[in-house]
Amino acid sequence: MQHRRIALVGFMASGKSTVGKSLANHLQRPFVDLDQYIESSTGKTIPDIFGSLGEAAFRQLERDALTSVVRGDELIVLATGGGVVTQAANRDVLQREWVCIYLRTRPETVRQRLHRDGVVRPLLAVDNPTEAIRSLMAAREAWYNEVADFTVDVDSLEVPAVVRQIIDWLND
Ligand code: S3P
């Protein structure tokens, strides 16, 4: 496990970017955030991409980014976007080429954390975000489980405790 690339997967606002940065720091590996990678390669924000090109175009960019984010043998830590698992091709790549850590959250936790990081999530900018969280999470749960090599229930954990669980598992 130590010598493979690590991807964090999980629903929006589960802490993938924060945990990913800290984990990368501990492991002394480069950190990449897939959404930021897409934003810098297109020069557009995620909400702009959804707004002007639509979700299907975003998923295509996300698919391309997942394959091009890897340069050479770099053992990066990657924070993915919550919807990366919706594409069968992505699930295939994640299962074959990455160690995937699933940061599992309850819908209520997502609701509470949603505005904390200041990130705009187009899929939750709807009249009833609580319902959107529940239905998207229900639809995706099996896919997160499908790709996950290790799962952490993050609802009541601070970032250092999540990172500790992951490192302990990697060292096992
Ligand atoms: C999405 C999650 C977002 C971002 C986009 C779509 C999703 O990333 O990729 O808004 O479909 O769950 P985060 O999980 O980092 O919020």
Side-chain angles (χ1 to χ4, degrees):
M1 294 298 178
Q2 286 283 17
H3 305 291
R4 289 176 61 196
R5 299 181 185 98
I6 297 170
L8 297 169
V9 301
F11 203 74
M12 291 173 261
S14 58
K16 299 176 298 279
S17 301
T18 323
V19 169
K21 264 180 225 151
S22 176
L23 180 66
N25 203 25
H26 274 81
L27 298 174
Q28 298 185 300
R29 292 185 181 199
F31 170 72
V32 179
D33 181 293
L34 199 60
D35 281 346
Q36 276 175 14
Y37 182 93
I38 295 167
E39 288 186 332
S40 50
S41 60
T42 59
K44 289 177 190 282
T45 65
I46 303 296
D48 281 349
I49 298 170
F50 270 78
S52 60
L53 306 172
E55 182 175 353
F58 172 75
R59 296 296 170 208
Q60 179 67 54
L61 290 166
E62 190 177 44
R63 230 171 12 246
D64 295 346
L66 184 65
T67 46
S68 57
V69 77
V70 172
R71 272 178 246 97
D73 296 331
E74 265 190 338
L75 292 178
I76 65 171
V77 173
L78 178 73
T80 61
V84 76
V85 295
T86 60
Q87 310 286 300
N90 292 345
R91 296 199 298 278
D92 191 46
V93 168
L94 286 167
Q95 274 180 307
R96 275 189 295 112
E97 298 175 20
W98 297 79
V99 174
C100 292
I101 317 281
Y102 173 22
L103 305 187
R104 185 163 56 194
T105 43
R106 288 196 299 262
E108 306 79 56
T109 309
V110 174
R111 189 78 185 97
Q112 282 161 14
R113 292 183 178 185
L114 202 53
H115 301 295
R116 211 166 66 177
D117 58 11
V119 175
V120 178
R121 272 92 178 185
L123 293 179
L124 301 180
V126 293
D127 288 343
N128 190 343
T130 302
E131 183 44 39
I133 292 167
R134 279 185 200 291
S135 62
L136 282 172
M137 202 180 271
R140 293 174 177 181
E141 179 96 58
W143 290 326
Y144 293 131
N145 286 324
E146 183 183 321
V147 300
D149 295 291
F150 182 60
T151 299
V152 185
D153 284 309
V154 299
D155 298 287
S156 56
L157 295 180
E158 297 294 333
V159 171
V162 177
V163 172
R164 176 49 49 206
Q165 280 201 28
I166 298 170
I167 289 176
D168 286 350
W169 177 76
L170 287 169
N171 287 334
D172 228 14

